Amino acid sequence: MDSRRVILTPGPALAAALCLCLATSCGGSKWTETTAGTLRTVTQEGGPTLGYSTTSGVALVVDDGFAFKDLSKNGALDPYEDWRLSAEDRARDLASKMSIEQIAGLMLYSAHQAIPARGGRRASTYDGKPFEESGADPSDLSDTQKDFLTNDNLRHVLITTVESPAVAARWNNNAQALVEGLGLGIPANNSSDPRHRTRASAEYDAGSGGDISMWPAALGLAATFDPALVEEFGRIASIEYRALGITTALSPQIDLATEPRWSRVRGTFGEDPQLAADMARAYVDGFQTSTGDREISGGWGYDSVNAMAKHWPSGGPEEGGRDAHYAYGKYAVYPGNNLTDQLRPFTEGAFRLNGHTGMAAAVMPYYTVSYGQDPGGDNVGNGYSNYIINDLLRGTYGFDGVVCTDWGITNDETAVDAFSGRPFGVEDLSVAERHYKVIMAGVDQFGGNNDAGPVVEAYEMGVEEHGEEAMRARFEQSAVRLLKNIVRTGLFENPYLDVETTTTTVGRPEFMTAGYQAQLRSVVMLKNAGGVLPLAPDVTVYVPRRYTPETTTFFGGVTPESLDYPLSMDVAEKHLTVTDEPQKADVALVVVESPDGGSGYDRADVEAGGNGYLPISLQYGRYTADHARATSLAGGDPFEDFSNRTYKGKTVTAVNTTDLDLIRDTRKAMGDKPVVVAVEMSKPMVFREFENDVNAVLVTFGVQDQALLEILTGAAEPSGLLPMQMPADMKTVEEQDEDVPRDMECHVDSEGHAYDFGFGLNWSGVIDDARTKKYGGP
């Protein structure tokens, strides 16, 4: 047999050739082959493991005794198929071979995909029928998925819910087998938003596994003030992601949370630039770095997950705290002239790694218009801004990775308060023209777009303006960036998963333990008057039921009202003696959520003759914005005939004002007996409304009930520190600058402690350790 270059096609001939290689030396290499259903795996000494599907039409090419996949199906070893070459060389070769239609597909990032796609907003059909009626397996591809993978050449899929790890693995294999047989055999690069959230009622049991390891929210990770812990999270999460077929993380969210009213504060690492930068660096290092025999080259490898740091240049300074998923929150403002601090989590963190991968693989700009930042005066959404992307990100800071828009920025806006498109500043352009402006601003990819048509139209516009050669070069530039992220993670060699390995990897006991320990370390104790905590083992605890009013979710769904215990009583009763009667209790435990002070806009205000804009309150009780700006810093929208978005003098009350009632009613019912309040916090809040009336306060950021209970009972000691300031009142919130960190007057409690950044208590008192010395405490 010629060991220089041989084509081995699937079937008996391949099996015979591989057996021959086992018996003899094939250029110094020996192979073994295993078959599982339609998947074949080739293991070779001195080379990577190859995986391919017998249904894809892919053959093997033998060169110098090594095996390679003939993904182009041309009977030759193309440079992009040669795993001995650099990722850069392979990506450039493949980009040069791709048609414009194929590159356009590569530049798409799918809308959210549930596996299986049944019910709700993510529903699709299977052979023309709803999933429930189709007889399809949960791991089958939906009609929508087959269409965009086949007809639009899309290769980046955003996965949301999955029925189970095993289903996710089988779905991945089905998707990879399909695309392997199409065109040049480019694998799918599947992605996920953060998915390691806790289930509050879940019980941790050392030695037991789970569906996936559970960690506190990003703000809780920040509360540990420990970048090493965050890097360990990234390392574990990347292993679990790869076992699910996920090779890109749409994270970390490293917006600097300098505007405390913003609804997305919980997903950030807080408001301090140095802490956020250190956490960002650790997170990306953890996700992207492979070591030992798992490394391919330059820190990249089979455990690596591309990190997409978001949102450039920080979505933190939203005027009034309104979020840019809606046009009423489209403007980021800079009253403190402080864009520099907003960039630091990127420039000093995600772009300056300790690991060999160097910098984050990708960046996502936010929807916002960074108002007044472009010297040329082009106030458009960040994804459209030549200044924000080409000049600042790529020019000043030298970022040459993938830039992907946030989801749906090229779609039409339908109303200021509609969850629709976000073409901020370019509303008068056509959809294709918007795509063209995005591409020429230096962006590579369109989030939430399954349709290649507008991208091809944008190419034709560019050809007309700049010529075929220049526009082809621009498209290949994006293709190379996108392909490198697929090559470096080893997908071209083997994108397939072993289902059994997936089920034993995701939620492994040691991963569950690490996540649980992180939860314990994220809990912040703010007050412990008289040493009421930890609770004595013989006390009886009153846990009042919590009323939750009917609310509308972020995506427009309705959550019905309820009256129920705020903790799993099954878990609580393993740690506490619980009673429903306050007169029989020694101490009360009130569990609430931080105030939900609204979105900052209400259609009812428009119908009443107002402009629709309202304050976002960080307190439970009635709040009138007497100290708000009389004239907003930014404004204007095609659906508004005014530009002043002021809400000065308007009044709101938090949706969950009943949480304050619950605290006060419990205080009254308990008389002089201690009351402990545990707040599940999503963003800063005004503690003045109740702090003086309670004995102890704990703050959590997405932990299991068991973790809270272990802190309360002394099984674990609180060690978390505040990653945000807690304002003294709403006046200081209104007067702070949206773009400036740590500029509020902080609440001072009855014990004389200021609830400032870096403050926290343990059983001995105020925490003063290496963390507070490094990052600064109150």
Side-chain angles (χ1 to χ4, degrees), residues 747-759:
H747 175 73
V748 178
D749 70 12
S750 61
E751 307 299 293
H753 296 137
Y755 291 2
D756 204 343
F757 171 84
F759 172 72

Side-chain angles (χ1 to χ4, degrees), residues 720-756:
L721 303 170
L722 283 177
M724 304 277 293
Q725 292 182 320
M726 298 298 120
D729 49 39
M730 283 302 299
K731 178 176 182 291
T732 191
V733 173
E734 297 289 3
E735 293 177 347
Q736 56 91 35
D737 289 335
E738 285 93 335
D739 59 329
V740 176
R742 301 171 63 174
D743 63 340
M744 293 191 294
E745 179 187 351
C746 295
H747 175 73
V748 178
D749 70 12
S750 61
E751 307 299 293
H753 296 137
Y755 291 2
D756 204 343

Side-chain angles (χ1 to χ4, degrees), residues 4 63 69 114 208 271 338:
R4 288 297 306 165
D63 185 68
K69 291 165 64 175
S208 295
E271 67 177 309
N338 194 28

Side-chain angles (χ1 to χ4, degrees), residues 60 67 74 88 140-141 190 239 257 415 417 436 462 494 543 577 654:
L60 294 181
N74 65 357
E88 180 81 23
D140 288 346
L141 303 184
N190 302 323
I239 293 171
D417 58 343
Y436 181 49
N494 186 15
V543 181
T577 300

Side-chain angles (χ1 to χ4, degrees), residues 3 34 50-51 96 193 197 269 327 377-378 447 502-503 518 600 652 673 710:
S3 65
T34 57
L50 307 181
S96 72
D193 280 313
R197 301 176 181 90
F269 291 128
D378 193 18
T502 290
T503 57
V652 295
K673 292 182 288 189
E710 289 197 1

